[in-house]
Every structure is written in structure tokens, then in C-alpha cells.
């Protein structure tokens, strides 16, 4: 029986745990309580946090969807945010969070839905030292206000009918975003071919057809069904809450006791599906062949496996995944990689729901591997027979157990919302509450019987195969319902199955001699001491401890995180690597071949928490080593030696080149919003290459090219290094000497260093760069709308840009996504190049890019007035929120290292940038920002400089719309008109709008008639004033020219010309289409290069030792 506590004047809460197992450096305190309504909460007091957060996980997900309305749980997740009885304004929550440097998100999984938010821990600016008065804590704490709004989603959500279609459109847009994603397509294929009696087979995302159109045709009132779903499945006893804040545990408890008792408890049981399994004998011993969108080849072997929900102490599947997924000598991957069949292998147990799990072995294949997939399956079963024959090895478990203990002991903090979201999900598991933080991390005991029990599932009668290849065309006689994936599905042939059974029975005499168990890991760290010295304030920059013609070495001994870890970042500066696309191809192949040669060696280091990376970019080569510092020099020496002595082998060169070619070809099949930024960057950069230029040269690059080229890179370089963490000055100097002694480069004079410059868009310019998407099946267009602002070293101008982006963040999302429903992907914010900066808006949408451009213009125009009229307290709130965001505390060593390296790599060395930003933001007046808007942002500004990149889909929605009936076209048209009017702040009347258009035939494309009906509706039916009516009708001219074609309604060409002539574009300079990029760039001026903000001598500390 737990202890009971009572907040003053409120109900009681049962205390379930006060002491949790924590990392050794954790300065937080914890308490687990249960309210009378059985809602369970973990309270976290963090005395040093500057961000507060809460997350609530509900034990209901898409497995609980109605059979005839797939996607219900996901739709409810979206609709829950749209207003509550206490806070009926639909964006009250997001506005509140945005004004306190916060944000929110949610996700729907199979058996849970997870909601979370993050806000500033204090309402005071981060650089303010005045503490909040305890008596006014509720009023001054952003967390209290956010918790109050958050709790109402689970107490009295409104499911506003006015937001229903908009949010279902958002769900539909989210689904369409994923239609060409192989990850989503292949996962759904696996689910669709599972047991139809188990909810694993569900289509989880939902779309307009499943959530609105089909149910309405059946006479279902969909809003009522969503409310019913919430009432039936959302119950306090199914909810796990985590609240993290600066406040004491008692204060946090009092708030939870005050705000969450209104959540209704229906005493619902845990969602379980014990009586049925996702895979029955009918689905087992099958193989499916599927064709991907991208050029990828893979083999997946899946085994229904042991459910480990209650086996958190031993976690037997981790032993099996450690061995099957090993990459060192004797492993499955080492063998099939040597055969030229594969590039990568991963393995692990995947819980499906309580009572069900599947162990998946995923292998990335080469072309030869795809032809020999049967041989690979036999190799896997031979290795499984080796594991079974060897019997469980206690030393392996002890090694894994010891490494897990080290990792947990020195675990550093993660962002607040990431922590609360993850732990609220963990709380759904049957862990002792004291182990909530450590339960999934630590292996607590060696249990050979359970390992053998888990191994019993790895038998030749209990698996299924999935083979994916773009080479499949003939024989793919089926198409998956939801994503349209082409596939073939059949039982595994008996002769192949017999060979697998034989492999599974192999012995030491018959097994491949190249397969054997791993050796002991020599990289396991043993020196974990950290010398901790208290400091008043951590140093804000690393010291420059060596600066000569060959080397620039930066170093900082960790003075705030105290973990036995380090990060070493190295740039080997060489102008050769980026001069031409051919040199980029040669350098990329070189880096990939080095990494390929190191796989077996470096895997042990990776298991022991020590990683490396090797890459190339415009400045040269980057070598990074990070993790436990004990064995760091050993790994770095091996990486550098391999770089120097690389032997380019014909078989591996062919495999790596093919993989890179696939990667470049696949680039064009990414989501449009992933692609668009590369073109914006390219158009703003003096020297740079895009994917198609690199792809043109890569096929012609030979083994001899790489073999002859890489020594030229290493022959002459400048070395820039950052050594940061549990490493002394002497360590840093020795690591630098290691680089020099192994590579022995001649110094590269500074006069030969590349100067990175950006292009400057002329004042008053307006450019559009259109690109047609290569993926013929993608229905999504995308626009990146970029406004050039100036030199990013201009602190005052940078501060204004950051503040303007802050003020538009929530407003743009609410307008362009929530209200106008332009698309699921909508974002705005600052965009920085090497030396310049600007403001950008990005939208991915089914709607044409011309329409997106006009809506961004309209938003910015209307926001300009909002900015002028903004109450001073709201404006100051934005400033405070942004200052807190800029001064947000670093959470771990890696964050600080990356911040230092970003400033070093930029060549500005602006280590105190955030402090300068905060100071300049604090001094900005509202009039300053209005003037900034008028000059740089306002669409009517004669000095504004704009560049838009339009990614245009080949697969337009028009053919789909053309199949719609005239009644359906009109219904969709009126819905769009309502959404548009709502976005302009006009409260409409759907019934009067339908009545006005009763006799209007919009399918003729006669926009004059349509505009006349809209004008009369505004003026006569809803009595809108003449000025506003005139403004909306004027904008409607442009709007209709885009909306009608999107509905499959053709506009006569003469009308198109008339409308083009009559639309009001006088305030915006006509756009120039970029047809020749070289000519475009040749006309532009270039920025100055990056210059350090201080003399380098100000950072120097050239003494040889501490």
C-alpha cells in the first residue's frame, strides 16, 4: 500500500515511489504518484532546467480503430488539440506555448497515443536573475498555464465541427506525404499480409476516404464517432503523465492534483489481444517480392518471437540480436559482405503489442545479393545453429551487462520534451516504478533458460521472408490496397525450405568455417575517472593551444558535464576535394571505401560507446571520433592509418560505387520538401554542386581515379582540430601529433584556402526557379519562398530577423496549415547561408505552387498589419520567448562540442553569439520590427529581394478531380471558399453560401459568374462591408484561377488572359523565371567571406601543458 499525500484544499494522491534508480550525475529528484481517478504521474524536479515539459501517454492507439474507419485514433489525436470547453479558441494552446518559447506535438502508435509539450521553465528572461515569488508561482510559471490547457484535452475537448474537415484534411495530407515513402509502403505491406483477425493488419494513418467520405456515404455522423471513440477509450486509469519543471516536487504534485482529477476514470482494462497472433501458420513460411519506389534492395527475415513485456530483468532477445547483428570477424555480415552480397545488417526484437513480438533481421543487399538471397537465408540459419550449439555464453551477457551499466551511469540529460514523452510511454510497461529510468537500459541478470526459450522461436518452420528490389517487374501480380505497392506473395518453395532446414541443423563439421562467435571486446572502457573542478561559470569558448602554418588546435577541458567522454573533430582542409563534381565523386568514393574497410574493426568500438565518422564537404575531409575517451587514441590511429594506406579493391569498389549511384538516383525520389532546400542553397552559393551534376560524373569515375587521387589530397592539407571533453591539454596536443605523424601532410598556406561566399540578391528582385519532380507518382508540389535580408555577421539585423521569425512562427502555421489547409508540411523561419541570411517559408502541398506563392504573399501582407497592431505585452512576450530560446542551457557534452565546432567551421569563431543575439533582441522596439518588415518582408516593398523555388509534381491531382461528379466538385469548391474566408477573418454561413450557389454551374469555368455569386454572398447574404468585399473579390480573381483547375475544372483560355490582366499584381514586382542558372549567378554580386569576430590571438593559450 502506497503512502498518501494531500495538496492544500485538494484531494489525495497516493505515492508509489520516491526514489528512482538514476544515473550517477543526475541532479533531478523524482516522485511517482497516483491520483484518486487512477491517473499515474511521474513528477520531476530539475533545479537547473530552463525548459519545463509534460507528456501524457494514453493506452489506446490504431489497434483500437473501428474496422470500417481506419485511422480513427490518429484523427482523434489531431482533433483533440482543436479547443476545449475551458479554452474554446482552437489555437489557444499553441499560442500560449509559442509565447513562452514552447511547442507541442503528438504521435499515434499501435497501442498508445502520446501527447507532449515544452515551455520555458520560468517566465523571466533567461538572463534575468529575479526569482519568482512563491505566492505568485502559478501566475508566473509558464508550466502551470500550459498544464492547465493541456489537462483540458483529456477532460472536456470540444471536437469543434468547424475544425473537423480541416483536421481530416491534415490527416489526409499527412498520409499523402508518405505515399511514396518506401518505409511506409513496405511496412504497410507487411501489415496487410498479416493475420486479418489481428489489428496489426490495420491501415493506421487514415485518409479522407476512410475517415469522412466512406462513413458519410454509409450515413455515419463522423464527428459523433470521434467523440464516441474518445469516450470509449480515453480513461484516466489508462493514462501515464510525466511533468518536469523547475518547481519543487510538492509544488508539481499540487498542480497535478489540482488540474487532472477531472479526467474521467472508466476503469478500462489494458488493451491486449492475447487470444490472437499477428502471424498464423497461414502467414508463416511465405515469401513476398515487392518493388520499391527508390532503387533499393533488401532481405527481411522475420520470426514471431518471445514476448518480453515481463522479462525486463534478463531481456533474452538482446543476447540473440547482439550475435546475429554483429559486424565483426566471423559474423553473418562479415561473410555475406565478403561475398559481395550485402552492405549492412541489423537485427532486433520488435514488440507489436502486449502478448506479441517479432524478431526482424534486415539486410541491405547488392544486386548479386538479391540474386543469391536464398544462400543468404541459409547462412543466417547456419549462424543460428551455431548460437544454439554453443549454448548461452555468460561472458557475453556480462560484457553486454557491464557496458549497459556504464552507459546508464554516465547518461546525460536529453531535451525536456524528449525525456517526458519517452518516459510516459515507458510507464505503460509493468516495470517496478523505481526502475522507470533504467528498466529498458540495464540487463540485471543472466538467464540461460530464457535465452534458450527465445532461441526456440528461430526455427525453419517459424519465419517469413520479404525481398525488395527494383529489378522485379514480371510476376508482381498484386497491388497493396493503401499505398499501391506492387508485389508477389507465395509460400516458400519446398526445395528451398528443405535447404533452410538443413542449414538450421548444421554442425561444426558441416557449417561454413567463416562463421564463428565473436571474441572479447578490447574496446570496453576501464578508465572512467573524471577530475571534477567546480567553476563559477563554464568557459564559453575553447582555447587555441596551437596555431601555426600546419595546424590550428582548439581545446577545452569539460567543466560542466563531468562524463568520461570526449569529442575530437578534425577538418583536413584541401581545395582539391570540391573544385569539380568529378573531384567530389572521387573524394566521396574514397571516404566510403575507407569506412567499408573499417567495418569489422570499428564495430567493437561502436559497441563500447566509441564512434567515428569520415565525410567530405566543400572545405575538405572531416574526421570525428567521439565517446568514452579511454580508448579514443587507438581508434583514431586505426582510422588515420586506414586513410593513408587504403588499398582500393576491385570487388569492394564496384559495390561501393553501385551504392553511391543508387543513393544519387534515389535523391530525386525523396519527399519534395527534403529536396527544395538544396536548390535554394545552390542558387545562393557562388560555388556548389547539386545532385544531378554529381550523378553525371560518378559513373565515369574509375578505381584508378580514386587510387591516384586520394594521395594528392593527403599530400598537402591544413589541419584544424577541436578536442573537447575529459581530455587534458597534453592529450589534445598528442592527438594532434598523431594526425601529423600518420598523414605527414605538407602545410597548406592560408592563401590557398577556399573563401566561402554567398550570392546577394539585388534589392527589389523577384525570382522564381521551377523544377519538375523526377518521381512521376508523387502528387505533392513544394515551394521554398526565400527573402534575402543581409550579412549574417550584422548582429542588429540578425536579431531583427530572428525576432520577426519568432512572431510569425505560430501565426503562419495557424493560418497556412490549420486554417487554409495548404498542406501537412508548413514551416517558416530564418535561413542562413555561409555568410548571408534571410527569411523563408516552406510548404508542401497538392495545391499548385503559384497558389502557394499567392497565399504566402497574402499571409505576409496581413501579418504586417498584425505586427503594427500587436499589443505591446504580446510583442514583449515574443522578445522574452526568443531570448529564452537563444540562451537555452546546453544539455550535454555533445551539444556543447557541436556548438563550438559550428562556430569554428563557419570561420567566424563567434562563440558568444547567443549572448550577443539576446542583448540585441532585448533592445528592439516594436517600431524597429515594423520598419524591418516594411523594408525586407512586405510583398509591396520596392526594396524586397525574393527567390522562390517551385518543385512541381508530375502526378497532378487533376485527373482524380476530373473523375468527381459536378456535385462533388461544387461541394469541394464551397469548402475551399469557406476555408479561404475563414482565413481572411470573415465569419461565413455555409447554408447561405450553398443557397447562393444553388443555380451556379461552376463546372463551366466561368469565373465572372462565380465571382459575381461570391460578391453577392458577401454583400447581401452575410452583410460584409463594401471595402472588405471589394478586397476579397479582388484577391479571388487570382485564387479562382488556381482553385478551379485543381478541382478538374478547365478555364477557357480567353478567360485566363482576361483574369491575368484584371488581377491586382501592381503591388508586387513581376517575377523573373530563372532558366539559365549560370547566367543568373553571373549577374549577382558576392558577399564578403567569413572573418573571425575577434583576433585569433584573443583565444590563444600557447603554453605547452596545464
Amino acid at each position: 500500500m502506497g503512502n498518501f499525500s494531500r495538496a492544500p484544499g485538494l484531494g489525495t494522491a497516493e505515492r508509489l515511489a520516491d526514489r528512482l534508480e538514476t544515473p550517477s550525475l543526475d541532479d533531478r529528484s523524482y516522485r511517482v504518484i497516483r491520483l484518486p481517478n487512477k491517473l499515474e504521474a511521474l513528477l520531476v524536479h530539475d533545479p537547473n532546467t530552463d525548459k519545463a515539459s509534460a507528456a501524457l501517454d494514453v493506452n489506446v492507439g490504431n489497434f483500437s480503430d473501428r474496422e470500417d474507419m481506419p485511422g480513427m485514433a490518429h484523427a482523434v489525436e489531431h482533433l483533440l488539440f482543436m479547443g476545449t470547453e475551458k479554452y474554446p479558441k482552437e489555437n489557444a494552446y499553441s499560442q500560449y506555448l509559442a509565447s513562452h518559447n514552447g511547442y507541442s506535438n503528438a504521435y499515434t502508435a499501435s497501442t498508445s497515443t502520446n501527447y507532449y509539450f515544452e515551455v520555458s521553465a520560468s517566465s523571466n528572461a533567461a538572463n534575468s536573475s529575479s526569482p519568482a515569488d512563491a505566492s505568485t508561482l502559478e501566475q508566473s510559471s509558464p508550466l502551470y498555464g500550459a498544464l492547465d490547457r493541456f489537462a483540458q484535452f483529456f477532460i472536456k475537448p470540444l471536437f469543434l465541427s468547424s475544425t473537423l474537415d480541416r483536421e481530416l484534411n491534415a490527416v489526409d495530407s499527412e498520409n499523402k506525404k508518405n505515399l511514396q515513402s518506401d518505409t511506409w509502403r513496405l511496412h504497410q505491406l507487411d501489415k496487410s499480409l498479416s493475420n486479418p483477425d489481428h489489428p496489426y493488419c490495420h491501415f493506421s494513418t487514415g485518409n479522407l476516404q476512410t475517415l469522412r467520405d466512406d462513413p458519410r456515404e454509409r450515413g455515419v455522423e463522423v464527428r459523433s464517432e470521434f467523440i464516441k471513440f474518445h469516450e470509449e477509450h480515453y480513461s484516466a486509469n489508462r493514462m501515464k503523465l510525466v511533468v518536469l519543471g523547475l518547481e519543487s516536487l510538492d509544488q508539481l504534485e499540487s498542480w497535478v492534483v489540482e488540474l487532472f482529477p477531472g479526467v474521467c476514470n472508466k476503469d478500462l482494462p489494458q488493451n491486449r489481444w492475447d487470444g490472437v497472433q499477428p502471424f498464423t501458420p497461414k502467414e508463416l513460411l511465405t515469401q513476398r517480392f515487392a518493388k520499391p519506389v527508390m532503387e533499393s534492395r533488401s532481405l527481411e527475415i522475420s520470426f514471431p518471437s518471445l514476448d518480453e513485456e515481463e522479462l525486463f530483468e534478463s531481456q533474452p532477445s538482446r543476447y540473440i540480436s547482439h550475435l546475429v547483428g554483429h559486424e565483426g570477424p566471423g559474423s553473418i555480415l562479415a561473410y555475406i559482405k565478403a561475398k559481395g552480397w550485402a552492405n549492412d545488417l541489423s537485427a532486433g526484437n520488435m514488440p507489436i503489442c502486449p502478448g506479441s513480438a517479432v524478431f526482424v533481421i534486415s539486410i541491405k543487399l547488392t544486386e548479386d545479393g538479391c540474386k543469391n538471397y536464398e544462400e543468404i537465408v541459409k547462412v543466417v540459419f547456419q549462424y543460428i545453429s551455431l548460437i544454439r550449439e554453443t549454448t548461452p555464453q555468460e561472458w557475453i551477457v556480462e560484457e553486454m551487462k557491464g557496458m549497459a551499466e556504464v552507459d546508464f551511469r554516465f547518461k546525460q540529460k536529453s531535451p525536456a520534451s524528449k525525456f517526458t514523452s519517452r518516459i510516459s510511454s515507458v510507464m505503460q510497461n509493468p516495470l517496478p516504478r523505481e526502475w522507470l529510468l533504467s528498466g529498458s537500459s540495464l540487463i540485471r541478470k543472466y538467464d540461460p533458460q530464457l535465452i534458450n526459450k527465445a532461441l526456440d522461436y528461430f526455427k525453419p518452420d517459424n519465419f517469413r521472408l520479404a525481398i525488395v528490389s527494383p529489378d522485379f517487374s514480371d510476376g508482381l501480380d498484386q497491388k497493396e490496397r493503401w499505398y499501391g505497392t506492387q508485389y508477389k506473395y507465395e509460400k516458400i518453395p519446398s526445395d528451398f525450405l528443405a535447404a533452410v532446414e538443413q542449414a538450421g541443423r548444421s554442425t561444426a563439421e558441416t557449417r561454413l568455417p567463416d562463421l564463428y562467435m565473436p571474441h572479447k571486446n578490447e574496446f570496453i572502457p576501464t578508465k572512467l575517472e573524471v577530475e571534477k573542478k567546480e567553476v563559477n561559470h563554464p568557459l564559453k569558448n575553447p582555447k587555441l593551444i596551437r596555431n601555426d602554418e600546419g595546424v590550428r588546435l582548439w581545446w577545452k577541458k569539460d567543466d560542466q558535464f563531468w562524463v568520461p567522454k570526449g569529442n575530437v573533430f578534425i577538418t583536413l582542409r584541401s581545395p582539391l576535394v570540391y573544385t569539380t563534381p568529378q573531384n567530389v565523386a572521387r573524394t566521396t568514393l574514397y571516404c566510403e571505401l575507407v569506412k567499408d574497410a573499417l567495418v569489422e574493426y570499428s564495430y567493437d568500438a561502436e559497441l563500447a560507446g566509441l564512434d567515428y565518422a569520415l565525410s567530405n564537404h566543400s572545405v575538405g575531409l572531416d574526421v570525428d571520433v567521439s565517446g568514452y575517451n579511454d580508448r579514443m587514441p587507438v581508434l583514431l590511429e586505426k582510422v588515420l592509418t586506414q586513410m593513408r594506406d587504403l588499398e582500393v579493391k576491385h570487388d569492394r569498389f564496384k559495390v561501393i560505387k553501385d551504392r553511391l549511384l543508387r543513393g544519387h538516383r534515389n535523391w530525386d525520389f525523396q519527399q519534395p520538401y527534403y529536396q527544395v532546400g538544396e536548390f535554394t542553397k545552390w542558387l545562393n552559393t557562388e560555388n556548389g554542386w547539386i545532385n544531378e551534376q554529381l550523378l553525371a560524373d560518378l559513373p565515369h569515375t574509375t578505381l584508378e581515379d580514386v587510387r591516384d587521387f586520394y594521395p594528392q589530397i593527403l599530400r598537402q592539407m591544413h589541419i584544424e582540430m577541436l578536442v573537447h571533453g575529459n581530455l587534458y591539454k597534453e592529450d589534445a596536443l598528442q592527438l594532434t601529433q598523431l594526425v601529423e605523424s600518420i598523414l605527414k601532410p605538407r602545410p597548406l598556406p592560408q592563401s590557398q584556402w577556399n573563401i566561402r561566399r554567398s550570392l546577394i540578391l539585388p534589392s527589389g528582385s523577384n525570382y522564381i526557379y521551377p523544377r519538375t519532380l523526377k518521381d512521376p507518382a508523387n502528387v505533392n508540389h513544394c515551394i521554398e519562398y526565400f527573402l534575402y535580408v543581409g550579412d549574417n555577421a550584422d548582429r542588429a539585423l540578425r536579431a531583427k530577423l530572428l525576432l520577426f521569425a519568432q512572431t510569425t512562427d505560430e501565426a503562419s502555421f495557424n493560418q497556412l496549415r490549420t486554417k487554409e489547409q495548404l498542406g501537412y508540411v508548413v514551416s517558416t523561419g530564418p535561413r542562413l547561408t555561409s555568410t548571408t541570411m534571410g527569411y523563408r517559408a516552406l510548404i508542401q502541398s497538392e495545391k499548385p505552387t503559384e497558389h502557394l506563392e499567392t497565399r504566402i504573399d497574402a499571409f505576409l501582407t496581413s501579418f504586417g498589419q498584425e505586427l503594427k497592431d500587436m499589443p505591446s505585452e504580446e510583442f514583449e512576450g515574443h522578445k522574452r520567448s526568443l531570448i529564452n530560446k537563444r540562451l537555452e542551457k546546453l544539455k550535454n557534452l555533445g551539444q556543447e562540442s557541436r556548438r563550438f565546432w559550428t562556430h569554428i567551421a563557419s570561420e567566424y569563431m563567434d562563440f558568444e553569439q547567443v549572448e550577443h543575439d539576446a542583448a540585441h533582441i532585448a533592445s528592439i522596439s516594436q517600431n524597429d520590427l515594423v520598419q524591418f518588415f516594411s523594408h525586407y518582408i512586405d510583398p509591396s516593398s520596392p526594396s524586397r529581394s525574393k527567390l522562390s523555388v517551385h518543385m512541381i509534381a508530375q502526378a497532378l491531382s487533376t485527373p482524380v478531380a476530373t473523375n468527381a461528379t459536378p456535385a462533388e466538385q461544387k461541394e469541394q469548391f464551397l469548402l475551399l471558399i469557406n476555408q479561404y474566408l475563414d482565413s481572411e477573418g470573415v465569419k461565413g454561413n455555409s447554408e447561405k453560401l450553398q443557397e447562393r450557389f444553388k443555380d451556379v454551374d461552376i463546372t463551366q469555368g466561368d469565373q465572372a459568374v462565380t465571382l459575381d455569386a461570391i460578391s453577392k454572398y458577401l454583400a447581401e447574404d452575410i452583410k460584409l462591408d463594401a471595402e472588405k468585399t471589394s478586397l476579397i473579390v479582388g484577391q479571388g480573381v487570382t485564387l479562382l484561377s488556381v482553385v478551379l483547375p485543381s478541382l478538374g475544372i478547365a478555364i477557357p483560355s480567353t478567360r485566363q488572359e482576361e483574369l491575368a490582366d484584371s488581377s491586382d499584381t501592381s503591388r508586387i514586382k513581376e517575377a523573373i523565371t530563372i532558366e539559365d542558372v549560370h547566367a543568373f549567378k553571373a549577374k549577382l554580386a558576392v558577399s564578403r567571406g567569413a572573418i573571425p569576430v575577434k583576433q585569433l590571438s584573443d583565444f590563444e593559450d600557447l603554453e605547452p601543458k596545464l
Side-chain angles (χ1 to χ4, degrees), residues 743-806:
L743 299 181
K744 296 183 172 61
R746 285 173 45 222
L748 180 75
Q750 195 164 7
S751 60
Q752 296 182 35
W753 295 10
N754 282 335
I755 300 175
R756 288 181 291 182
R757 302 180 187 270
S758 301
L759 298 172
I760 299 173
L761 296 177
S763 177
S765 59
N766 184 5
Y767 293 103
I768 289 177
Y769 180 61
R771 296 278 305 195
T772 301
L773 289 171
K774 298 286 181 68
D775 184 355
N778 200 314
V779 300
N780 293 299
H781 308 279
C782 187
I783 182 174
E784 183 165 24
Y785 176 113
F786 174 76
L787 301 175
Y788 171 81
V789 169
D791 186 337
N792 62 20
D794 184 333
R795 295 199 190 278
L797 190 59
R798 173 187 167 88
K800 291 172 187 174
L801 171 63
L802 294 174
L803 183 55
F804 179 76
Q806 161 70 25

Side-chain angles (χ1 to χ4, degrees), residues 1043-1057:
V1043 167
L1044 291 178
S1046 75
L1047 296 172
I1049 300 170
I1051 303 172
S1053 58
T1054 54
R1055 288 296 302 143
Q1056 291 271 37
E1057 292 162 9

